[in-house]
Amino acid sequence: MTLRVVSGTANRPLAEAVAEGLRLDPTGCAVERFPDGELRPTVECVRGADVYVVQPTAPPVNEHVVELLLLLDACRRSGAARLTAVVPYFGYARQDRRSRAGQAVGARVIADALAAAGTDRLVVVDPHTAALEAMCPIRVEMVTAVPVLANALGSAPADPRVVVAPDLGAVKLAEHYASLLRGSVAVVRKHRVSGTVVRAEELVGDVEARHAVIVDDMISSGGTIEAAVRILLDHRAAPDIVVTATHGPLTEAATGCLRALDVDRILVTDSVAHRDTAAPLRVCSLAPLLTEVIARLHNDEQLDNLLLHT
């Protein structure tokens, strides 16, 4: 089968870099927008091809989800032999369970919609919940950007380095980073007051005079990171704190908040397109990782060393 890469509008530079890594030209795709907001994608003929649609469902999430579904349907109707949705940032992944009666399970709804659009397989990077694979009716390949980010962090400083999980949900992630960075692990116990306000209540682990790296799967409002930074400084961690996360769908308020904290670096990937990359934000590209993933899948090779292990 011929390999084809189709780019949505959510992050064309990433899709183009992936296509370049595969020595391909992106398959022609145009997305028409009607005055009332409707989208109508049109793709070149992909009959008989192994097609990979690259479209993170980053903010505005709803628009990019609908565009992804329509792109997948267009490829299916154009005769794709095999259809893979490459969704580095999977919107609605945080909605993997109901916290009270009357709520929806958004992750399951989107997973079902992807299957209904004709998708054969889904590729995601460090999803917020590992349960995504279990709830999805199609094959899911969950790969991780942790080795990429750990390499970008560089070698350890002369003094000890400690990897900090900003909440209990990030402990396994912190352990993965610590194994690569040869550091110890500390954990913050937090209480979420609201969607944007977080209070750090306890810190477990020795951080005094140590270089701290706060790790998470994503940064959105910045509240969790802000609380973690403040409790680290209260416990006399070294002031050159580094923050890293795979996904950075940062709100405008979050960007200002994080810069006000005066951290040394905030390292994220380009799973979400970033317009503002001024210091201290630094962006590490996922293109080499996704290029390798697509090449292996196209050739029916194993992804073992690239997969997220939970």
Side-chain angles (χ1 to χ4, degrees):
M1 287 186 290
T2 302
L3 174 61
R4 306 290 288 271
V5 173
V6 175
S7 172
T9 63
N11 196 336
R12 286 199 188 279
L14 175 59
E16 290 169 355
V18 169
E20 182 178 355
L22 293 165
R23 299 182 179 180
L24 300 172
D25 291 325
T27 296
C29 173
V31 179
E32 183 179 2
R33 283 175 165 78
F34 292 98
D36 63 358
E38 285 188 13
L39 304 175
R40 184 165 64 184
T42 304
V43 298
E44 289 181 358
C45 180
V46 293
R47 186 168 302 279
D50 185 15
V51 180
Y52 294 80
V53 178
V54 181
Q55 171 83 340
T57 51
V61 176
N62 296 336
E63 178 169 334
H64 289 147
V65 165
V66 172
E67 182 185 331
L68 172 61
L69 295 173
L70 294 176
L71 279 170
L72 292 166
D73 185 70
C75 290
R76 178 177 64 86
R77 294 176 188 275
S78 187
R82 187 166 63 181
L83 189 54
T84 301
V86 181
V87 188
Y89 172 74
F90 189 93
Y92 286 96
R94 286 175 288 185
Q95 295 187 34
D96 61 329
R97 65 177 68 88
R98 296 187 302 163
S99 59
R100 61 176 182 270
Q103 291 183 332
V105 181
R108 176 58 189 266
V109 173
I110 302 304
D112 286 344
L114 290 171
T119 314
D120 298 304
R121 181 171 49 199
L122 170 65
V123 174
V124 293
V125 181
D126 291 326
H128 187 73
T129 175
L132 180 64
E133 182 175 17
M135 68 176 63
C136 197
I138 57 177
R139 181 178 172 184
V140 180
E141 304 290 0
M142 299 191 301
V143 299
T144 182
V146 170
V148 175
L149 290 165
N151 184 63
L153 287 170
S155 57
D159 295 326
R161 175 182 271 172
V162 58
V163 179
V164 181
D167 56 30
L168 296 178
V171 172
K172 287 187 177 180
L173 181 67
E175 290 172 344
H176 190 179
Y177 273 99
S179 69
L180 297 172
L181 298 174
R182 299 181 181 179
S184 60
V185 174
V187 182
V188 176
R189 186 171 66 85
K190 74 175 185 182
H191 171 69
R192 182 169 289 280
V193 179
S194 68
T196 57
V197 179
V198 175
R199 182 172 65 245
E201 297 183 335
E202 183 181 4
L203 176 66
V204 179
D206 180 18
V207 300
E208 185 172 355
R210 305 184 76 180
H211 298 275
V213 181
I214 303 172
V215 301
D216 212 344
D217 64 308
M218 65 179 293
I219 307 172
S220 180
S221 68
T224 296
I225 300 301
E226 179 183 17
V229 168
R230 297 198 186 284
I231 199 170
L232 285 172
L233 294 176
D234 288 345
H235 284 74
R236 297 184 293 279
D240 56 344
I241 295 171
V242 174
V243 177
T244 186
T246 299
H247 311 294
L250 298 165
T251 63
E252 288 187 17
T255 302
C257 166
L258 293 171
R259 284 180 179 149
L261 291 174
D262 196 28
V263 297
D264 183 68
R265 261 185 299 166
I266 302 169
L267 180 65
V268 296
T269 76
D270 57 354
S271 67
V272 174
H274 296 278
R275 293 191 181 93
D276 183 0
T277 57
L281 186 68
R282 299 186 188 179
V283 180
C284 183
S285 181
L286 287 178
L289 172 63
L290 294 178
T291 297
E292 179 69 15
V293 168
I294 292 173
R296 291 195 195 182
L297 291 175
H298 177 64
N299 293 311
D300 295 321
E301 298 173 358
Q302 295 295 322
L303 298 180
D304 290 355
N305 64 318
L306 305 178
L307 294 175
L308 172 66
H309 297 288
T310 58

